[in-house]
Structure formats: C-alpha cells, structure tokens
Amino acid sequence: MELTVRQMDAEEFQRQRQEVLGQWETGKDVNFEEAVAYHKGLPKSKIFAEKLAEGKEKGITFAQPRAGVALITEHIELLRCLQDEGGADFLPTTIDSYTRQNRYTEAQSGIEESRTIGRSMLNGFPAVNHGVAACRQVAESVQVPVQVRHGTPDARLLAEITIAGGFTDFEGGGISYNIPYSKDVSIESTIKYWQYVDRLIGLYEEQGVKINREPFGPLTGTLVPPAISHAVAVIEGILAVAQGVRSLTLGYGQCGNLIQDVAALHTLPVLAEEYMEKLGYPKAMITTVFHQWMGGFPQDEAKAFGVISWGAATAALGKATKVIVKTPHEALGIPTKEANAAGIRATKQVLSMLKDQTLPMTEELALEEQMILAETRTILDRVLSLGEGDIAVGTVRAFQAGVIDVPFAPSRFNAGKILPARDTTGAVRMLDFGNLPFDETIKDFHRERIAQRGRDEGRDPSFQMVIDDIYAIGKGMLVGRPR
C-alpha cells in the first residue's frame, strides 16, 4: 500500500482485514454488522464521545485512571473498585505488553499462569486472547464508558476485537505508539497500520456508531517540549480524520510549569482545528486530555499525592476535558486497586475545588501561548512542505530530517538530536535545537531563558542540567538545581 494521507480504499481495507482477523483465533468472532447493532443498543452513558461532548459543553474536567490485569473476573473487580471507590468518570482497559507486541501465544501462557498461581502474571488485560465476548462482559460490568489503552505499534487486531467488544474509545497513533515504544519499527509502517484502525472507526462512524480516538500525547513523557507533542498530536488527528474519525481527544503530558502547561492546553485544540480547516477536512469534535506527570515519582506516598494534586490543579485550570490520573505507588510498580482509587479521589477533590476558577490571561501566559503556536506552526508547515501537501509522506520525511524529533525516544527512526532542559521557572526549553526548523527569534527566546537559569545557578548551561531535571521531581523539586 502506497503511503498517502488519502482515505484507504475499500478493496485494500478488506484485503488487510482478512489477514488481520486471521492473526489469532478470536478474530473469527468479529462480525462488523453485528457489532454495529450491539453499539447502537448501548445507553448514551456508556459512549465515550457522548460523555466527552457533554463535558466540553459544560466545562467539566473528567478523571480517568490506568488499569489492567490478566483475568476477566479480576479485571472487572479492579474496574468496579475504581468506579465505586475511586469515582472514576471513565475507565480504562490497559493492555499487557505481550499483546502490544502481537505476541499472543505468550499472552495465552500468561493467562494460564495467572490462573494457576492465582494472581495476575501480566501487566495488563490480554484483550485479543480473551476475545469479543469477554470484552463485552467487561464493558457491561460497569456503568461508565471504557477505553482501550495500550502502546501497540500494530493495533489492527486489537482494535477489531475491542471495538466489536463494546469499548467506545481507542487510544494511540502511528507516531505516538511507535517512536516512544519501539526501536526498529518504521514510521511508514505504523502510519499505515493506524490508518487501518482509523478507517475501521470511520466505517463504524458511517453506520452511526461513535468511537472516540485519542492519540497518546506525552510521547516519552520526559521533558517533551509542547511544540513537539502538539505537532505529533495534530498530525495524528489529521491522519485519523482523513480516514473518517469524527471524535478526537488530543493529549498533552504535564511538564510542570503551570503557565506553560495551561498555555499548551489552550493552544492544542486551536492548532488542530486550524490545520484541519486549512487542509479541507470535515469538522471533528475535538476535546483534550491532560496526563499527570509521566516522569519519575517520589517513593514517599505523601509526596506522590503532592505530585498528583499538582497535575489535577493544572488540568482544572487549563480546562482539559479529561485528566489521566497517576497513583501514589507510581515509583514502586503496579499499584494496588486501593492506591489507584486513592489517586482518583485526590484528583477529583482538586478538580471539584477548582472547577469554577480560571487562570487569568497574564503577559507571561500570552507569551507562552504565542511561542507554542509559532513553534508548532513552524514544524507543521515544514512537514506539509516536505510531503508536498501530503502530511503522511511529510511526517516520514520530517523524522528523517529531524524536523520532528522526540527527546529520549528509543526509535532508530528518530533523530535524537534535540536536548531539552528547564528554565529557571521550570518551563521546558531547548538547550540544543537539533534540526528543528525554528527561526532565530524562537531560538533566541529559548537561549535567553536557559541562560538566565545558568546565571541564577552560577553555572554554564550544559547536559548536566538535563540530567538534574530528569531526576528532580523524584527528589522533591521541579527544577534540578545543584545542591
């Protein structure tokens, strides 16, 4: 299949579909027409897009955790705890690592081992192995909409089974579920895989079934400048809409500086709508999701709650439609369901307290918004230029040229030349621009902010600042100051 942003033709989709549904035995249980009828029978309260639209209209910020275990009964018990004890507005089904790599035989072994030992031996729910009926059992067991969360470069079979299984939201994208997660998978291949996923959701949409799509905003979750994550989010949004998706939640991962994070949340939907209109795509419903701090956490639970609450405050003040909640066990490994529920309750307390408050438009906030808009537009315009108007082709070429460059990513298809660091207020800036296509005005802004930090700390800006910043929050700070 030739790489292009254009909608996948029906013949190519059906050719792939035959192959995809044959990848594991549960694929035979997928029946598109029957799945459409099933979705049309769902109450409005179980449909992600409907609830998101309501939240957007009313200015509500919803809370959603991450969670998933190997066995069906235990997974349902976990989700019900997060719903009943945590008060989650949306629920996840986080997929295990074997399924993310399409290693279904090993996932099956993990299921069997979990049954034998009596506890989950997988770090998520192996939805492909469990199949359509089990997914419906999960979705029907709770009162709120359920989303598939994973990290899968090739999620075609996972999408077929979980959407037929009654989940009404599917996370990920051809860039965001490749570059931060994989070493040797090409961007061209994952864009094509995800065009299949988006076309599948487009086909459901054409039948009157709303499935929300959520590109993964935080990327590597480590000092990712807003312009980089925004550019990826807008590209993945355009690629989805081109295949017929009409409900999108675009994501952003907390950097830690309140002004910068609120500016990022304000500008993300503006940029998405701007470029979709510019390229002539139909209007989609666009909402936002804010991810609480994705980097290292303090091991002390009280301090971890401090980090969680700061993320909740930022989501509320930035008017995100949804916030993805962390747990007080973040530094220790997979949390207990009780700890997970506690993270949701702490988040919802802050969201409730701040729901009627906004951050006033100050000179600094206006400047941050201006810089994020300018930087992101510079990247997106160069992507379109490289692709001669085709954003799929342009994306592959942009990664090759380092025009898009995700910091600290494992992928060999990512240049890895940029180096971010915090300025003296904790906002993420560029220490090394790599091949980003920024003009001198933008570069001077970053250089001066980094230089000011150097003056404040009595040291020359260097890679040591980056190292200090990566470990800072785990040590109780935002900016990695020398001791």
Side-chain angles (χ1 to χ4, degrees), residues 179-206:
I179 299 300
Y181 286 91
S182 303
K183 180 183 177 183
D184 293 317
V185 184
S186 75
I187 299 167
E188 180 171 347
S189 66
T190 50
I191 287 176
K192 290 177 181 178
Y193 294 150
W194 278 86
Q195 285 178 314
Y196 177 99
V197 171
D198 289 327
R199 185 67 201 119
L200 174 66
I201 290 168
L203 290 171
Y204 275 99
E205 183 75 36
E206 289 165 18

Side-chain angles (χ1 to χ4, degrees), residues 147 149 169-177 194 198 212-219 229-241 245 247-253 268 276 286-289 291 322 324:
Q147 177 189 49
R149 303 189 70 86
D169 190 301
F170 200 80
E171 189 193 29
I175 306 166
S176 61
Y177 269 4
W194 278 86
D198 289 327
N212 190 64
R213 279 280 290 110
E214 183 185 311
F216 179 63
L219 302 175
S229 57
H230 277 23
V232 171
V234 171
I235 290 167
E236 291 191 334
I238 290 168
L239 291 171
V241 169
V245 172
S247 180
L248 276 169
T249 301
L250 301 183
Y252 169 76
L268 181 52
M276 285 176 195
I286 296 174
T287 52
T288 55
V289 55
H291 294 250
K322 187 176 76 168
I324 301 297

Side-chain angles (χ1 to χ4, degrees), residues 131-332:
V132 173
C135 288
R136 289 185 182 178
Q137 191 181 341
V138 170
E140 289 168 6
S141 71
V142 293
Q143 278 80 56
V144 300
V146 187
Q147 177 189 49
V148 186
R149 303 189 70 86
H150 47 120
T152 312
D154 179 3
R156 292 174 296 172
L157 181 57
L158 180 64
E160 287 276 12
I161 286 172
T162 54
I163 294 169
F167 296 130
T168 56
D169 190 301
F170 200 80
E171 189 193 29
I175 306 166
S176 61
Y177 269 4
N178 174 356
I179 299 300
Y181 286 91
S182 303
K183 180 183 177 183
D184 293 317
V185 184
S186 75
I187 299 167
E188 180 171 347
S189 66
T190 50
I191 287 176
K192 290 177 181 178
Y193 294 150
W194 278 86
Q195 285 178 314
Y196 177 99
V197 171
D198 289 327
R199 185 67 201 119
L200 174 66
I201 290 168
L203 290 171
Y204 275 99
E205 183 75 36
E206 289 165 18
Q207 296 300 313
V209 173
K210 292 180 185 293
I211 306 293
N212 190 64
R213 279 280 290 110
E214 183 185 311
F216 179 63
L219 302 175
T220 52
T222 307
L223 300 178
V224 179
I228 301 294
S229 57
H230 277 23
V232 171
V234 171
I235 290 167
E236 291 191 334
I238 290 168
L239 291 171
V241 169
Q243 298 301 325
V245 172
R246 294 294 176 264
S247 180
L248 276 169
T249 301
L250 301 183
Y252 169 76
Q254 182 178 16
C255 284
N257 173 283
L258 180 65
I259 303 295
Q260 184 177 51
D261 286 339
V262 169
L265 284 167
H266 286 175
T267 52
L268 181 52
V270 170
L271 287 159
E273 289 169 2
E274 176 185 320
Y275 277 84
M276 285 176 195
E277 184 179 350
K278 180 178 178 179
L279 295 172
Y281 289 108
K283 198 168 179 64
M285 184 190 77
I286 296 174
T287 52
T288 55
V289 55
F290 181 75
H291 294 250
Q292 290 177 356
W293 178 245
M294 294 285 290
F297 254 68
Q299 292 191 13
D300 180 275
E301 282 196 26
K303 292 179 179 179
F305 275 119
V307 178
I308 289 166
S309 297
W310 184 233
T314 307
L317 293 170
K319 301 304 175 190
T321 321
K322 187 176 76 168
V323 57
I324 301 297
V325 178
K326 288 290 191 172
T327 85
H329 288 180
E330 196 64 34
L332 308 174

Side-chain angles (χ1 to χ4, degrees), residues 16-27:
Q16 284 194 40
R17 192 159 200 249
Q18 211 169 7
E19 172 209 321
V20 166
L21 294 179
Q23 289 174 356
W24 190 253
E25 59 187 4
T26 50

Side-chain angles (χ1 to χ4, degrees), residues 223-225 228 375 407-408 417-423 427-436 438 442-454 457 459-470:
L223 300 178
V224 179
I228 301 294
E375 292 167 19
F408 313 112
K417 290 183 177 178
I418 70 165
L419 206 55
R422 297 190 184 278
D423 67 15
V428 174
R429 309 297 182 196
M430 295 290 187
L431 186 63
D432 189 325
F433 298 94
N435 293 328
L436 296 179
F438 293 164
I442 292 172
K443 288 181 177 180
D444 286 345
F445 172 80
H446 284 264
R447 287 172 184 140
E448 173 51 34
R449 293 295 176 110
I450 294 279
Q452 182 60 54
R453 175 179 170 185
E457 295 178 359
R459 60 172 171 168
D460 293 332
S462 69
F463 183 62
Q464 187 59 48
M465 281 184 176
V466 184
I467 297 170
D468 293 342
D469 288 343
I470 288 170

